[in-house]
């Protein structure tokens, strides 16, 4: 057996209210990049379904920027470490690693000759550094700021100039190299969130929390050329600006839920893009890349802006920005669905769960059955993808697992409780169990119910009308059960546990052991049967995915580092040769399995 990564359904940027998100652009115009947790996400700007993920940082990454050559990317994390890595090879080999600051890096800038890098952020009395990319040797000192530095940029024409913006309310200007302080300006009345030079180097913009965008001369900074829109370009704080390729215009992203397109020479807002009215519509980042105008909302949505229709983006990239599990389950209050061919994603409409969704399944009627930490179970039609008030079933205690069966039956595992639902209504509760239930599977045809427990046993029940009957039979496992799954034809039951083992039982033979499967180095987290019922997949805390052959435990397909940073949290088969995996890296991956 063999496998191949077919597609990465990339996560969105991880956003924080009131904090700017830097979006980097490929100088060749092909890609853009952003960060989520410990990942750097690279996406094709024309076809964002094409994505790549860099996962080598040990701490959450704040910013990543392409070198002007396009051959390298520098990324900085919360620990103050910067990694410079190759973009031309699939492995993204590390070129250099440095520790210029002792705290979070907020922004990065390269000189146009690819030789020098400036980083800013927060550290123990040191907020900035400028160094040679291939040795780490200092090439100047960015001094003068007294608080965290949020933004930095370097003029991409000679003579080089450097600008920085800080929480101390000043924008500083430096000549070099080696870079040395020349002057500071205090045109902004609050935090300076973003400074950016125009591509031709003639001007630079400083934007801040006071809603003001000040434009300065890019060569000496002694002259403020303009204040876009007067004293206030936006009614809210401005978090990012990005210049047009011809240096005549720029866009600005604001907490007032708008993006504005400015003509700098005339000091006028040519277009105002109204992005919505909700808190999540605040705009915290932007990028002007060739003909593409992008902005990032607090929700993490990436908007492709349309100059001809400012109230409706050309497209909106949606997806996950938090931890993900599958079958079909997502650790967010709102489930998302993906088109496996186009890579497009969207969410359900209406008022859904108010807390983390723990588990999901799809029943024979095409309904998504979900349980949540808000103590409810919901059944929502996949055709409408719209939550309704009548879809909710309230549980006595927190539900943790759901499994669907034929004829409208659903079994819910709650804390020390099993609950039976029929056609969306609660019909039976079995409480005061003498074990802690951890997982459940309902047979696709005969009404058997297998409940895994922390007592290293699978407990068998049967659905009889509107009741759940204890059959008084248990199946032994090596450890606390982490998942139980019946094959699609009902012939087999697979159970995984926290002792790295998987046991498969033959249903027709009174649940006799069919085989035992060992290979994981840590707890097995999830299982999924392939449509042919001859193979199943397992995912573990060891970041490994195995595809097993039921009749030969030694015949297996190993996917190493399926999700390098986190354990495998979910598995699902689209067809007998296509496996989907999820993890807490917020990404979904699609694999082609060859038998």
């Amino acid at each position: 057996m063999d496998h191949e990564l077919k597609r990465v359904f990339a996560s969105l940027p991880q956003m924080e209210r009131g904090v700017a998100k830097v979006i980097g652009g490929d100088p060749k115009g092909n890609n853009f990049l952003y960060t989520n947790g410990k990942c750097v996400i690279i996406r094709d700007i024309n076809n964002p379904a094409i994505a790549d993920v860099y996962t080598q940082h040990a701490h959450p990454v704040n910013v990543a920027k392409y070198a002007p050559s396009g051959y390298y990317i520098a990324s900085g994390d919360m620990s103050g470490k910067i990694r410079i890595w190759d973009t031309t090879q699939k492995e993204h080999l590390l070129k250099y690693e440095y520790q210029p600051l002792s705290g979070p890096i907020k922004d990065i800038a390269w000189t146009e000759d690819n030789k020098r890098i400036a980083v800013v952020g927060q550290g123990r009395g040191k907020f900035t550094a400028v160094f040679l990319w291939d040795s780490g040797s200092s090439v100047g000192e960015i001094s003068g700021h007294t608080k965290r530095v949020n933004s930095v940029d370097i003029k991409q024409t000679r003579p080089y100039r450097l600008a920085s913006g800080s929480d101390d309310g000043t924008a500083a200007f430096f000549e070099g190299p080696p870079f040395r302080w020349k002057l500071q300006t205090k045109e902004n009345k609050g935090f300076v969130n973003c400074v950016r030079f125009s591509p031709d180097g003639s001007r630079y913009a400083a934007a801040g929390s006071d809603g003001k965008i000040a434009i300065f001369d890019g060569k000496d900074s002694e002259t403020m050329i303009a204040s876009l829109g007067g004293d206030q370009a936006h009614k809210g704080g401005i978090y990012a600006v990005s210049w047009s390729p011809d240096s005549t215009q720029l866009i600005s992203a604001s907490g007032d839920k708008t993006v504005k397109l400015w003509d700098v020479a005339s000091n006028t807002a040519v277009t105002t893009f109204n992005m919505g009215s909700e808190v999540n519509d605040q705009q915290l980042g932007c990028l002007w890349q060739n003909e593409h105008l992008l902005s990032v909302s607090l929700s993490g949505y990436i908007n492709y802006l349309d100059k001809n229709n400012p109230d409706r983006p050309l497209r909106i990239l949606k997806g996950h920005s938090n931890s993900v599990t599958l079958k079909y389950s997502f650790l967010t209050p709102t489930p998302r669905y993906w088109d496996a061919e186009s890579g497009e994603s969207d969410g359900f409409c209406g008022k859904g769960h108010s807390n983390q969704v723990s588990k999901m399944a799809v029943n024979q009627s095409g309904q998504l059955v979900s349980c949540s930490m808000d103590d409810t179970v919901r059944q929502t039609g996949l055709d409408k993808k719209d939550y309704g008030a009548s879809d909710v079933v309230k549980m006595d205690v927190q539900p943790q697992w759901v499994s669907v069966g034929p004829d409208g039956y659903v079994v819910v595992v709650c804390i020390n409780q099993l609950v039976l639902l029929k056609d969306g209504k609660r019909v039976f509760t079995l409480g005061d169990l003498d074990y802690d239930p951890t997982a459940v599977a309902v047979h696709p045809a005969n009404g058997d119910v297998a409940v895994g427990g922390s007592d290293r046993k699978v407990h068998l029940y049967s659905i009889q009308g509107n009741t759940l009957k204890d059959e008084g039979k248990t199946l032994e496992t090596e450890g606390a059960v982490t998942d139980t799954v019946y094959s699609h034809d009902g012939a087999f039951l697979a159970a995984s546990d926290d002792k790295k083992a998987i046991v498969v039982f033959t249903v027709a033979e009174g649940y006799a052991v069919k085989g035992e499967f060992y290979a994981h180095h840590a707890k097995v987290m999830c299982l999924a049967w392939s449509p042919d019922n001859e193979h199943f997949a397992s995912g573990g805390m060891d970041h490994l995915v195995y595809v097993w052959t039921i009749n030969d435990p030694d015949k297996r397909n190993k996917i190493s580092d399926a999700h390098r940073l986190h354990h495998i949290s979910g598995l699902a088969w689209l067809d007998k040769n296509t496996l989907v995996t999820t993890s807490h890296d917020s990404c979904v991956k699609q694999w082609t399995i060859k038998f």
Side-chain angles (χ1 to χ4, degrees):
M1 291 191 291
D2 199 3
H3 63 272
E4 180 183 358
L5 179 61
K6 181 178 180 180
R7 175 170 290 176
V8 176
F9 298 96
S11 66
L12 295 176
Q14 201 164 58
M15 309 298 289
E16 182 180 348
R17 186 172 181 179
V19 178
K21 174 59 71 173
V22 177
I23 307 298
D26 174 8
K28 299 178 181 179
N30 299 323
N31 303 316
F32 67 100
L33 72 165
Y34 53 84
T35 63
N36 182 307
K38 298 176 184 178
C39 301
V40 178
I41 314 296
I42 306 170
R43 303 185 75 165
D44 187 296
I45 199 163
N46 293 305
N47 183 8
I50 300 173
D52 194 7
V53 184
Y54 179 76
T55 59
Q56 302 298 315
H57 277 272
H59 301 275
V61 192
N62 288 327
V63 59
K65 288 283 191 70
Y66 274 96
S69 67
Y71 297 139
Y72 293 97
I73 289 173
S75 50
D77 63 28
M78 291 291 289
S79 72
K81 186 169 290 184
I82 186 167
R83 296 175 67 89
I84 303 169
W85 40 280
D86 175 77
T87 65
T88 63
Q89 303 296 318
K90 182 179 179 181
E91 296 80 10
H92 299 307
L93 298 176
L94 178 68
K95 185 71 173 178
Y96 302 108
E97 182 179 75
Y98 303 111
Q99 181 88 42
L101 301 180
S102 60
I105 292 175
K106 301 288 290 182
D107 202 3
I108 297 170
W110 293 74
T111 54
E112 55 84 28
D113 60 2
N114 306 286
K115 294 181 179 179
R116 304 166 187 86
I117 298 176
V119 301
V120 300
Q122 188 166 4
R124 298 186 187 95
K126 182 180 180 182
F127 309 117
T128 60
V130 190
F131 53 89
L132 293 173
W133 86 296
D134 57 354
S135 68
S137 301
S138 175
V139 285
E141 182 180 359
I142 307 178
S143 58
H145 291 299
T146 58
K147 293 183 179 180
R148 179 181 67 185
V149 180
N150 300 312
S151 184
V152 66
D153 202 21
I154 297 175
K155 186 164 76 79
Q156 295 297 292
T157 57
R158 294 176 184 267
Y160 293 142
R161 298 291 185 263
L162 184 151
S164 58
S166 169
D167 276 0
D168 63 13
T170 67
F173 190 80
F174 302 82
E175 296 179 334
F179 290 100
R180 56 192 180 275
W181 182 89
K182 180 181 180 183
L183 59 85
Q184 278 174 282
T185 62
K186 199 170 176 61
E187 294 298 332
N188 296 91
K189 305 304 180 185
F191 301 156
V192 179
N193 293 323
C194 186
V195 292
R196 292 291 183 262
F197 280 94
S198 60
D200 64 6
S202 62
R203 289 163 287 191
Y204 81 90
S209 60
D210 58 352
K212 184 175 182 177
I213 305 174
I215 307 295
F216 296 93
D217 180 89
K219 185 176 181 180
D220 58 26
S221 188
E222 294 177 352
T223 305
M224 187 178 79
I225 297 173
S227 177
L228 298 184
D231 289 336
Q232 202 172 39
H234 285 269
K235 296 179 181 179
I238 300 170
Y239 293 98
V241 297
S242 185
W243 288 85
S244 64
D246 64 5
S247 301
T248 63
Q249 298 178 313
L250 63 78
I251 54 174
S252 54
S254 171
D256 66 4
K257 310 177 187 70
T258 69
V259 175
K260 290 188 178 183
L261 170 59
W262 299 90
D263 181 83
V264 177
S266 64
N267 193 9
T268 57
V270 178
T271 308
T272 298
F273 303 91
N274 296 299
M275 305 309 296
S277 58
E278 303 296 326
V279 171
N280 275 340
D281 295 319
Q282 294 180 8
Q283 302 300 296
L284 302 182
C286 62
L287 174 69
W288 193 321
Q289 175 111 317
N290 295 338
E291 73 276 10
H292 298 289
L293 279 66
L294 307 184
S295 74
V296 184
S297 304
L298 176 58
S299 63
Y301 290 175
I302 300 171
N303 312 291
Y304 283 61
L305 306 178
D306 186 355
K307 295 179 186 178
N308 299 318
N309 189 359
D311 293 328
R312 186 174 182 178
L314 290 167
R315 71 189 306 175
I316 301 175
L317 303 185
K318 301 179 181 180
H320 298 285
S321 57
N322 297 311
S323 302
V324 189
T325 65
L326 196 62
K327 184 152 186 183
Y328 301 74
S329 177
F330 311 95
L331 295 181
T332 57
T334 304
R336 311 210 62 83
Y337 58 90
W338 294 85
D339 186 299
E341 294 302 322
S342 69
E344 296 292 330
S345 173
D346 208 343
F348 282 40
C349 300
K351 186 177 181 180
H353 290 290
S354 59
N355 207 331
Q356 173 179 303
V357 176
S358 303
K359 209 68 180 175
M360 290 185 176
V362 177
N363 65 20
Q364 293 176 341
S365 301
Q367 291 178 313
L368 188 68
V369 182
S370 57
C371 67
S372 167
M373 291 177 66
D374 63 7
D375 296 347
T376 66
V377 174
R378 305 190 71 124
Q379 295 190 197
T380 310
L382 286 176
D383 53 346
K384 296 182 178 179
K385 302 180 182 66
D386 191 355
Y387 285 116
S390 61
D391 299 338
V392 184
V393 182
K394 180 70 175 176
M395 298 288 110
D396 299 328
V397 290
Q398 188 182 111
Q400 299 175 321
W401 205 284
V402 295
S403 181
V404 299
D407 304 321
Y409 285 110
V410 176
V411 178
V412 186
V413 166
C414 299
I415 298 175
N416 201 35
Q417 247 185 26
L418 300 177
V419 178
L420 180 65
L421 307 182
K422 176 75 163 83
D423 297 327
K425 296 181 180 180
R426 181 171 170 172
V427 295
F428 185 76
T429 300
L430 188 62
D432 297 324
L433 303 175
D434 59 1
Y435 67 97
D436 179 22
T438 55
V440 63
V442 181
H443 194 278
N446 68 13
D448 285 0
V449 177
V451 180
S454 61
D455 58 352
R456 303 185 178 188
K457 296 178 182 178
V458 176
H459 300 255
L460 296 180
Y461 298 81
S462 62
I463 298 173
Q464 299 186 4
N466 287 339
T467 62
L468 197 61
K469 180 184 176 183
D470 187 347
E471 293 297 324
K473 181 175 181 178
T474 58
L475 311 175
E476 299 294 326
T477 60
E478 292 194 12
V481 179
T482 57
D483 199 359
T484 54
V485 186
Y486 280 101
S487 59
H488 300 284
D489 60 4
F492 303 108
L493 171 70
S496 60
D497 62 44
D498 64 357
K499 298 299 182 183
K500 309 177 237 182
I502 305 163
V503 185
V504 175
F505 305 92
T506 303
V507 175
E509 297 177 6
Y511 289 90
V513 174
K514 169 69 173 178
E516 296 177 322
F517 300 79
Y518 301 91
H520 283 282
H521 307 311
K523 177 166 64 173
V524 182
M525 298 298 296
C526 48
L527 302 169
W529 284 91
S530 72
D532 64 10
N533 301 299
E534 296 177 3
H535 304 88
F536 68 92
S538 62
M541 288 286 290
D542 52 9
H543 307 177
L544 298 176
V545 172
Y546 283 97
V547 178
W548 305 87
T549 301
I550 184 64
N551 292 317
D552 187 356
D554 294 327
K555 187 178 180 181
R556 55 183 180 261
N557 189 337
K558 177 183 176 181
I559 305 177
S560 299
D561 285 335
H563 295 260
R564 182 181 176 275
L565 291 174
H566 299 279
H567 69 264
I568 310 304
S569 57
L571 301 164
W573 293 84
L574 298 183
D575 55 54
K576 68 178 184 179
N577 294 110
T578 307
L579 177 68
V580 178
T581 63
T582 62
S583 176
H584 295 302
D585 62 4
S586 308
C587 293
V588 180
K589 293 186 178 182
Q590 186 174 323
W591 306 84
T592 298
I593 308 298
K594 302 173 183 177
F595 298 111

